[in-house]
Amino acid sequence: MSVFPCSCNQTSEKGNPGGDTESFHHFFEGWISEQNQHLKDLLVVGEELQSVKDKVVEHYESYYKTKSRCAKQDVLAMLSPTWTSSLEDAFLWIGGWRPSMAFHLLYSKSGLQFEARLQELVQGLRTHDLGDLSASQISQLDEMQKRVILEERQITDLMAGHQETVADASMVELSHVASEMIRANERGEVEESKEFEDKVESTLVQKEEGLEKILQKADELRLGTLKAIVNVLTPKQAIHFLIAAAELHLRLHEWGKKIDARKENHGTGEGKNYNSSI
Amino acid sequence: MAGICCRVVGEGDTPNPLDSSSRPSTTRRAMDIVPFNYMADMTVPESSRKRPKLDLNDTDDQLQNDQESSGVKVMKKDSQFVKEDDEDVSDTKSLSDDDSSEDEECPKYGVTSVCGRRRDMEDSVALRPFFSLDGFHYFGVFDGHGCSHVATMCKERLHEIVNEEILDEDDNFEWKLLMQSGFARMDEEVFRRSQGNQTFNCRCELQTPHCDAVGSTAVIAVLTPDKIVVSNCGDSRAVLCRNGVAIPLSSDHKCFDPFSVVQPDRPDELLRVESKGGRVIYWDGPRVLGVLAMSRAIGDYYLKPFVISEPEVTVTERSDGDECLILASDGLWDVVSNETACGVVKMCLKSQKPPTPPSPGGYVTADGSDRACSDASILLTKLALARHSADNVSVVVIDLRKEQGETSVPTSNYVNE
């Protein structure tokens, strides 16, 4: 059983909020190497289907628990992750994977397994893998997919609304006053106001709080979708799904890092630079 | 209602998708129809009001509502279920009250309709057995574009209109005229509604008040004791499997692509569009005015008169070699050939137990034929998804095989032409 490092929590207890980004980065590295190990466990799973499945789902839960804690301290870091590659960043939806993507993952894996055993399935034999989704499972998954897409849209709209508040009256006014102050400074007129700084600070804090709430909803939908799909599947099917999810996540991460490293080597400087342990 | 629609909610498990603890053994056969007693349980909550027997419109509405609420389901059906009251699903005595139970045999069918890889569900499916005269049954698939509301209206109304047209006829059915008139009326209703102030309960509601740019394909099959009448408008398709051979009963109204070596199927449609002054323009494939990839549809008023709602109608005499009829949206046909689809359904029907003759008062939940249709529709849907269909997928499979012990029933009221 893996122990989840939660340096994020530790640093906050030490009263060092500045270290959160670094610590989540560290946590992520640990988490992803655990995911690597779990993938190996999933591939050799025997009788202990249920416990391995539960372990992997708990691993995802721990990820979002830690992420949520860190987001409360520094939501901006969570929305501009340093621990992912630029390839992964390009496909981010509100700081993570798009929930509706889980159904595509499922359909794609299911399709591959279905085509591989088509003859048997048509003859009414069971293969017990994702190609063998029953009528009721397809029905439940389809229903779930529609619901997830709806919620995803609602959260996207929330985010749109919140992003638009960047240009709300108070922001525009504050930016104007701040600019005036800079201009006054340039003219040599010293005009500094602690009160004004506080006002900017509190306004920006509100923006961050808004982001944090939206990120929270997005992460809840991500974890909820994953768990709901796993629950509709039989334990054996769930193992196949979790394998596909881990493989996609791990390989995408690797491919992205490779691209970034290549850019780094070519000196284009566009790639993301980070020191990853795996 | 209880009997007519058995939406399978798990392989005997609870309907709660989050509860996996009650998941049954995985050794159960794929796509099992739920056990009958469970089916009765499921429908109890809907059964607070008692409806008159054989109130088919009502039951069917319920069935449709059921469909809306879940998008995909497997219908389990036989004539005995239809006669049942909600509360008395397990009361076998009520069956004998029904005088017509021996006259009308409900066709066996299965349906699957899923969102698939699209973000919006715009397909609708209508299943209306006993929608008109004795022995007449109606099935339809509607693939909406722009929004879902035209497809939804077709699902809700077209069978009623077709029924009225049928009742207006004398015994000598002019199917082509009848269907053309029916589709024209449907198209008018959609138009009137789009001009009115009524709002649609759909996503385009706020975007385009008049919803001009919304339409739907329609492929409908009217099954009579001796005929299969298919009317088609758009690129959904009906395919008959007869003696193992796939026979398309409709021809897609795709825009003709003169450069296509794959399927240069409808040069006549291109000519028709151009004769009205329309143009087929390439924009992500050939499209009428560069907009719509099909040359006929219900709705789409901004593309009239190039895009018309007039259906093409085929009338096919039923024969003993008929195995099944498949109606599906292009989500299936884009990736699965007619032959493959028929092959899958055939194997599915074959691999099942032969249909058991209905025993008086017996609830044939393990009825091979019905399960076979449902299995076949699910398999075809899964095949479409496996082959990367990017669209909604809707598949209706109707078993046309004559069954032992009931072959004489449907045709007895009719004299073949």
Side-chain angles (χ1 to χ4, degrees), chain A residues 50 53 98 100 103-104 107-112 114-115 118-119 121-126 128 130-140 142-147 149 152-153 156 224 227-228 230-236, chain B residues 7-11 13-20 23-31 67-74 112-121 203 343-344 347-348 351 378-379 381-383 385-387:
Chain A
Q50 188 72 39
K53 186 192 91 172
R98 186 176 273 280
S100 56
F103 297 93
H104 288 249
Y107 281 145
S108 297
K109 190 68 187 179
S110 166
L112 290 167
F114 178 79
E115 283 259 60
L118 179 60
Q119 290 303 316
L121 287 162
V122 168
Q123 281 159 18
L125 299 172
R126 300 215 56 172
H128 303 292
L130 291 172
D132 199 10
L133 292 173
S134 71
S136 73
Q137 286 176 321
I138 292 210
S139 163
Q140 290 176 61
D142 185 62
E143 206 42 49
M144 198 190 294
Q145 182 190 11
K146 288 181 205 157
R147 208 168 51 233
I149 288 174
E152 195 179 275
R153 283 189 171 134
T156 300
K227 287 167 79 174
V230 164
N231 280 334
V232 165
L233 302 176
T234 65
K236 200 164 179 187
Chain B
R7 191 155 69 73
V8 180
V9 183
E11 301 167 278
D13 51 344
T14 69
N16 181 356
L18 295 179
D19 177 14
S20 64
R23 192 141 292 278
S25 111
T26 55
T27 55
R28 195 177 296 196
R29 207 198 156 282
M31 296 162 232
Q67 269 205 285
E68 272 165 6
S69 68
S70 85
V72 53
K73 61 271 327 147
V74 174
T112 304
S113 182
V114 297
C115 199
R117 288 190 177 83
R118 277 279 296 273
R119 285 178 71 75
D120 292 295
M121 182 59 173
R203 68 188 161 83
V344 167
M347 279 170 82
C348 227
S351 69
I378 281 281
L379 275 167
T381 302
K382 289 204 281 188
L383 184 58
L385 292 172
R387 293 187 173 177

Side-chain angles (χ1 to χ4, degrees), chain A residues 216-228:
Chain A
Q216 188 68 34
K217 279 180 194 288
D219 280 339
E220 275 166 16
L221 185 58
R222 275 187 274 263
L223 182 61
T225 302
L226 187 109
K227 287 167 79 174

Side-chain angles (χ1 to χ4, degrees), chain B residues 49-98:
Chain B
R49 68 203 184 284
K50 193 154 179 141
R51 269 178 276 128
K53 288 175 187 175
L54 274 174
D55 184 355
L56 293 165
N57 283 336
D58 207 350
T59 48
D60 226 43
D61 280 341
Q62 185 61 55
L63 186 149
Q64 298 299 318
N65 291 340
D66 232 50
Q67 269 205 285
E68 272 165 6
S69 68
S70 85
V72 53
K73 61 271 327 147
V74 174
M75 301 302 164
K76 172 83 173 74
K77 201 161 176 1
D78 73 25
S79 59
Q80 286 142 0
F81 288 159
V82 174
K83 320 295 194 284
E84 273 304 322
D85 282 330
D86 288 342
E87 294 86 344
D88 299 329
V89 191
S90 57
D91 177 7
T92 54
K93 280 177 199 157
S94 65
L95 280 175
S96 53
D97 298 341
D98 249 308

Side-chain angles (χ1 to χ4, degrees), chain B residues 262-324:
Chain B
V262 187
Q263 198 186 22
D265 50 355
R266 298 303 299 262
D268 55 329
E269 282 295 294
L270 176 69
L271 287 176
R272 186 186 56 72
V273 169
E274 290 184 340
S275 74
K276 303 274 183 183
R279 294 285 301 278
V280 171
I281 297 167
Y282 280 73
W283 185 267
D284 188 23
R287 291 162 185 273
V288 175
L289 301 191
V291 183
L292 189 63
M294 65 195 82
S295 56
R296 300 194 189 196
I298 289 178
D300 291 303
Y301 300 101
Y302 68 122
L303 291 176
K304 302 239 183 274
F306 321 126
V307 170
I308 57 171
S309 63
E310 184 185 310
E312 287 186 305
V313 182
T314 61
V315 181
T316 309
E317 294 289 331
R318 293 180 67 168
S319 103
D320 288 344
D322 291 352
E323 287 160 284
C324 65

